[in-house]
Amino acid sequence: MREAFGVLTGLPHEWDHDQIGRGWVWTVAVGVVMGVVWLSVQQVVGRIGGPFVAAGALLLVHVVVLGARPQRGLAAVAEELTEEPDPAVAPSRPDTGGAAAAVVMLVLLMMSGMATFSADVPALLFIAPLIGRSVQVVLLQGCGEDVGLPEPSALQHTAIVALTVAALGLAPVLNTAVRPVRENAQIQGIEYVVAGLIALLVTFVIAIAWRGWLRARFGTVDANAWHSIGAVADLAALLALVGQIN
């Protein structure tokens, strides 16, 4: 488990290459912990400062917990896109910091808006990072050597997806815990699970398309590009969830 947290979060921990190769199934545990953190921050800060303050705190915690890896990956991709491909034409590297920062800020603002929009359906904030981490690890397939990580086996892929689907069953429980008085609680719970399943499928499709575009554009998917898949997966999961509820 420590290896999975070390690779997927910014928590200080040196991971072993062989250990993480055998421990990818703990990805789901990382997603569950992050989902509980998202939900807890939204509930605690939201009751004190309102939904907008809660959304800001949520994004800050998200960036800190992940060590800003998805955001840095997205920024690196943005920088590569704005570089001249032929150094003979443009020997001096252009200043691309502004473009990279703009891309990251746009993603964070979109996530902030959707997090604020999700204040009335708090269990969505548990589901989104759970889906994001699982999709990111499954899509390590085919690019592990360039990323510098061992790829999950077919059995681990199956286990990650199955455990992610099973973990969606925690959403109704958490929803009841934070919103104990609500009509049709059981129906709402079922709706959360169905919404999570649809969001998982949508996120896979979007993230696969993003990985394919990265490979077509740059010829490979390195560590930065792989972490950018995590950022896209988080955003896609939130978008898919909010789109269904509203």
Side-chain angles (χ1 to χ4, degrees):
M1 181 186 292
R2 291 181 301 172
E3 280 72 20
F5 274 91
V7 170
L8 295 172
T9 73
L11 301 179
H13 176 69
E14 293 186 4
W15 48 271
D16 180 81
H17 188 277
D18 294 330
Q19 287 291 335
I20 186 59
R22 294 190 294 269
W24 279 125
V25 290
W26 290 107
T27 297
V28 180
V30 176
V32 167
V33 170
M34 287 185 59
V36 171
V37 169
W38 275 36
L39 181 58
S40 301
V41 169
Q42 194 275 337
Q43 288 296 297
V44 173
V45 179
R47 293 177 182 179
I48 299 173
F52 291 101
V53 176
L58 179 66
L59 286 178
L60 178 61
V61 169
H62 180 59
V63 171
V64 170
V65 169
L66 291 179
R69 290 177 179 178
Q71 291 74 32
R72 289 203 304 266
L74 205 58
V77 171
E79 288 182 359
E80 290 291 334
L81 285 174
T82 52
E83 287 183 359
E84 282 287 346
D86 186 359
V89 176
S92 62
R93 179 179 177 178
D95 181 9
T96 59
V103 170
V104 173
M105 284 301 299
L106 176 61
V107 171
L108 290 178
L109 285 173
M110 291 178 68
M111 291 182 67
S112 177
M114 283 183 284
T116 303
F117 202 48
S118 302
D120 293 332
V121 279
L124 298 188
L125 297 176
F126 165 76
I127 297 174
L130 168 64
I131 290 176
R133 301 290 70 72
S134 296
V135 169
Q136 180 183 358
V137 169
V138 169
L139 293 189
L140 182 61
Q141 183 67 35
C143 55
E145 184 176 350
D146 293 324
V147 175
L149 292 171
E151 297 177 7
S153 65
L155 181 60
Q156 286 176 320
H157 280 163
T158 303
I160 289 171
V161 173
L163 289 171
T164 301
V165 172
L168 292 175
L170 294 173
V173 178
L174 293 170
N175 186 66
T176 302
V178 299
R179 292 290 176 87
V181 179
R182 187 168 185 146
E183 294 182 0
N184 301 323
Q186 185 176 0
I187 296 175
Q188 288 291 330
I190 294 173
E191 289 177 353
Y192 275 126
V193 173
V194 173
L197 290 172
I198 295 173
L200 179 62
L201 178 60
V202 171
T203 303
F204 262 120
V205 171
I206 293 175
I208 288 172
W210 176 252
R211 186 186 63 173
W213 180 85
L214 289 171
R215 184 173 283 125
R217 178 62 175 80
F218 302 113
T220 184
V221 177
D222 60 10
N224 284 325
W226 181 64
H227 282 297
S228 80
I229 293 174
V232 170
D234 287 332
L235 182 59
L238 269 175
L239 181 62
L241 288 165
V242 172
Q244 292 178 75
I245 299 300
N246 297 278

